[in-house]
Amino acid sequence: MRKTTIGVIGAGAVGKVHIENIISAIPTAHLKHVADAFPDHYNEWARDLGYPLAEKDHSIMLKDPELEVVIICAPAALHGDLIIEAAKHGKHIFCEKPFDYNIDKIVEAMKEVEKAGVKLQLGFNRRFDKNFAKARNYIDSGEVGDVHIVKLTSRDPIPPAIEYFTAPGGEHCSIYTDTTIHDFDMARFLNNSEVVEVFATGSKLINKDNPIITRADTIAVILRFEDGSMALIDNSWQAVYGYDQRAEVFGTNGTVTVENDVFSQAVLHSAKGIIGEKPLVTIKDRYGDAYATEIREFISAIQNDTTVKITGKDGLYATVIAEAAKLSAAENRIVKISELLPKITY
Amino acid sequence: MRKTTIGVIGAGAVGKVHIENIISAIPTAHLKHVADAFPDHYNEWARDLGYPLAEKDHSIMLKDPELEVVIICAPAALHGDLIIEAAKHGKHIFCEKPFDYNIDKIVEAMKEVEKAGVKLQLGFNRRFDKNFAKARNYIDSGEVGDVHIVKLTSRDPIPPAIEYFTAPGGEHCSIYTDTTIHDFDMARFLNNSEVVEVFATGSKLINKDNPIITRADTIAVILRFEDGSMALIDNSWQAVYGYDQRAEVFGTNGTVTVENDVFSQAVLHSAKGIIGEKPLVTIKDRYGDAYATEIREFISAIQNDTTVKITGKDGLYATVIAEAAKLSAAENRIVKISELLPKITY
Amino acid sequence: MRKTTIGVIGAGAVGKVHIENIISAIPTAHLKHVADAFPDHYNEWARDLGYPLAEKDHSIMLKDPELEVVIICAPAALHGDLIIEAAKHGKHIFCEKPFDYNIDKIVEAMKEVEKAGVKLQLGFNRRFDKNFAKARNYIDSGEVGDVHIVKLTSRDPIPPAIEYFTAPGGEHCSIYTDTTIHDFDMARFLNNSEVVEVFATGSKLINKDNPIITRADTIAVILRFEDGSMALIDNSWQAVYGYDQRAEVFGTNGTVTVENDVFSQAVLHSAKGIIGEKPLVTIKDRYGDAYATEIREFISAIQNDTTVKITGKDGLYATVIAEAAKLSAAENRIVKISELLPKITY
Amino acid sequence: MRKTTIGVIGAGAVGKVHIENIISAIPTAHLKHVADAFPDHYNEWARDLGYPLAEKDHSIMLKDPELEVVIICAPAALHGDLIIEAAKHGKHIFCEKPFDYNIDKIVEAMKEVEKAGVKLQLGFNRRFDKNFAKARNYIDSGEVGDVHIVKLTSRDPIPPAIEYFTAPGGEHCSIYTDTTIHDFDMARFLNNSEVVEVFATGSKLINKDNPIITRADTIAVILRFEDGSMALIDNSWQAVYGYDQRAEVFGTNGTVTVENDVFSQAVLHSAKGIIGEKPLVTIKDRYGDAYATEIREFISAIQNDTTVKITGKDGLYATVIAEAAKLSAAENRIVKISELLPKITY
């Protein structure tokens, strides 16, 4: 079995999920390097488990000729620059979502990747979740028919910490670019047409009395696709009953609903009602397998020189839609994707 | 037991549901009159069942001093005028949704009802459906907390016949005023705040190659409420799996989902999957009890001189939101309710 | 529409359900007589509703030449004698379950019915419940294949009152003859083979410290059928979460599970879990439609002179199995049906 | 992190599941030895994966002083002897279910284990399944109350191959000792009382025309517990819709139902019905995590010198109940556990 050598840049929550998966669930990969701007916290955890320790400087791994792949889990504002740097070193790149906050930077990165002839896969892990993948499957097999309506719900169990807004780059953060971005990608994944118009509206409801947080935490979005079909998206940063991620795809032959995975199939019937277990809460519980699958498939695409499942274009479109949503919400108007889409052909 | 004497104007599909309910399930009511512009079809059915036959002229019943209540199930374009006429005769009025297509006419009718001192209840039957009523219940008992997001799905099993568009008054018909009107009322029922802004967008997808039908058959709407909460609505005129009517109310303490009633609780587990029964299809199956309950409660409000559950104001707001939605879809912009709301205080 | 004239003997809880149904939901029937040994309680209720009042003496209705049908809802120990008396008067008979506690009496009644040439239908209402009927449907259509295992659960929301045991005839009462009798009939309804052996075992668990009640309140039964298939039945007289009536039929092509009807389809997702509504509690809520359907079908069998759906033989077998179960539990051994089955051919 | 050195005896289907788990999911264990009577098939698979290859002779690993633990996955008829041998070498033992077919051998093995002072854990993996574990949890927390009825269903997706019956030791094989044994253990796990009586009955229904297979493939069992509570068990060797493993525990405060894990939460609503995905099919999919958890907990019990979760006594009782069930079915009578239980105190 061939083992592809991997380095991870950014060893926060998501970085750790990838690191654990590579070590315990992806026999085709070998983790050689980890880099993190503040390595101490990670290293304490890694030392206990006997995992590779982190360097502070990611350029060390990029210079290692043995390294074939970098997985970028650094803050989103740095993604584009890191991709450009990795591509220049000839490394294949797996980059967490979003591609970047800056559309010009995304285009520049895509060009550099193309020039370098390396593979780039974006980390829209939900496409690899067995539930959403099955919905796509029903579309492909014709069971849904022509898609008319896509509905997506993403609600986090707890809102982001205040540091999320106050950390460097926090000024770019918004629910549209960080949370809804998953739904923008999912809307494209669960339809066969491209988004042409966006209407988004948001409210600050969860922390309505908190003066520091000024941005929306609860949002509703409608997307229109080229073929006249529509998507409805709702997001909240606080669902007290767990991590709520559901979808529906309605078409001429039927509708597919995707419910949440729950802790167990035990159901209590008592004087209080019929009580089922709650949705899984952590991303590791809910999407651990999907995170492993996306890396496994990326390694396979490299080893067999096949096309990656989620391309730079997918990353670009998700960000363009997110920026359109921000603009729509800010100006309370419908925004056409063509206003923001760069004039490049992909 | 006191029996209130009732007449029904308009003996089409919904009129017949009310007539059957009054005769077999509402012991407090006595059906004395039925009027229909084209009485033959109804009379054939009624004769078989031993029900009262229909007169052509509704003014006969209005002149009957014994008659206490009229139930208006005539075409919606005639509602306002019929209400005015009935109020002038001092009859209590139950009027099917929508109140009318014409906002000025609605205001005029409301004034006349007020002047006559009669009771007026609007026929938003879904408020009396046990499923939606339970959702409201969970809101009232605090189990949902502050409402942040309302989601509503209404999909008909088969699209309206072509006559729906070509009949007199058909030029007023639209999915917003006839189908979504239920969701506009339900959005107000499942929230404690009033709608202030509407964004609606629709497509002709079901009969996309039919040149006669030019109006949208598939729509998506976002409503914004005064308190910043939002509603997302999707409608389709053709769901091959049945009459699909679902709701969700998401708030600070949890979310309530309302699923469809189905034909039975038998579930087949076979090599093809785990197959449950489909949603109930006809309005009589799905909402027969709700139709009976709304009339029962109206009779009770008359006999006990209490407030009706669904007022003229509810009817007015639903129509104003529907007109705002039509405008929003036509002009592809956000429409403020205040643009259309008459300058009267209710 | 022809109206068949009906009298009801026994106006307790189940008698009232039939009376209400005949008046409000069965237009083909006309209720003329009611008889009850203690008519006062019923008459108070009936007077309020404008229903026919009860006579003390059931022989009055039997002598009325206009009366075509009697519905027997008297205590089970009297069923056989009442059937014999009604048959001798040439009345068609609908008899509540069980047929009688006494197998010889049942045989005598069946002979009298045959001699009189009247129709007799037994009141195993659950066969007409939409859920169980659908399970039978799946068997008939071949979706289940050859039946291998039938599973039945019947649990009452509250145990019978102490009067159930202490009233006249109470010495005959047992969970097997009064509760499980439904499951014994259902086992035969959901299989295509006859029962040949019974093993039953019961415990007094609910009121384990109550010295007055000596009989089992919780039981488990296995039935073996002629073709080697088996049924497993469990009963309890106290399920705190409601009236629990479920079934499963497992065969070579799949399995059908029948779940409970619940109060509504609203589901609350909160920090405590995902909470659905409980099963319907009263027999009127749960089986009101089934009670109406069985009478409607009986009237139709009379008016059209067709075969009834649940015959005397069905009533006989259910009682024989129940007696076999009592014997099995008492002697802690397997009992063959042939030990108890009368030597008559049906 | 301390790593405990492990050897596996028997590298068939279940052996491989343990081997994969130890290597990829149990960082506290180190796999050093594998033994199999016919090692070629395993070795081909292991070589590809870079796993330790198998020796033919298990005594090699027993003599290795570094080895701390043996996991016995050999044919059940050999379990007792292998445990005795391993105990004599001072190894801790994890033994797959059933303990052995021979009750005397089980007692002998338990004595040897006690003498050697090693730990023995039985492989009733279902106790570690998240679904069944949650049911136990609800019992422990009082949500079920006093247990009155336990119901268990185990149905295999496909019947055992003919070799299962014809291989050496096949004469011992029966559905009671190999399949129902899981339910016998689960009945004890989901109740707080010991089994005292068994009634079992089986039929050959799946291969009813196959003269080679003479044993029952479809069975029904009732267990009575000391406190009067009861368990009902049904098993089939062929469920066309998948691996069907459900449970219910009914008590004074409510009932817990345990449904199957399914492939995904995607549900298709089409003209054919509402179609959910089927239960997981392979033991690795359905119980992979439970297999890993049981070994992880065993290693933890060894490293921390704590009590194992499933003891020799648990293994003994499951086998005694299974033998009682065989006897009951053979002689068509109720069998008391005391007839078979060895006169030792545990």
Side-chain angles (χ1 to χ4, degrees), chain D residues 319-332:
Chain D
T319 293
V320 166
I321 300 169
E323 290 299 322
K326 274 172 78 171
L327 192 59
S328 171
E331 303 186 349
N332 202 28

Side-chain angles (χ1 to χ4, degrees), chain C residues 140-152:
Chain C
D140 291 338
S141 65
E143 311 258 23
V144 171
D146 297 342
V147 173
H148 287 181
I149 298 170
V150 175
K151 293 174 71 176
L152 300 166

Side-chain angles (χ1 to χ4, degrees), chain D residues 78-95:
Chain D
L78 309 174
H79 284 182
D81 286 330
L82 285 166
I83 290 170
I84 291 165
E85 200 180 342
K88 285 184 171 158
H89 284 83
K91 309 304 185 195
H92 297 298
I93 302 149
F94 178 96
C95 181

Side-chain angles (χ1 to χ4, degrees), chain B residues 151-169:
Chain B
K151 293 173 70 176
L152 300 166
T153 291
S154 296
R155 299 175 190 151
D156 288 338
I158 45 165
I162 192 72
E163 289 72 30
Y164 169 81
F165 302 101
T166 56

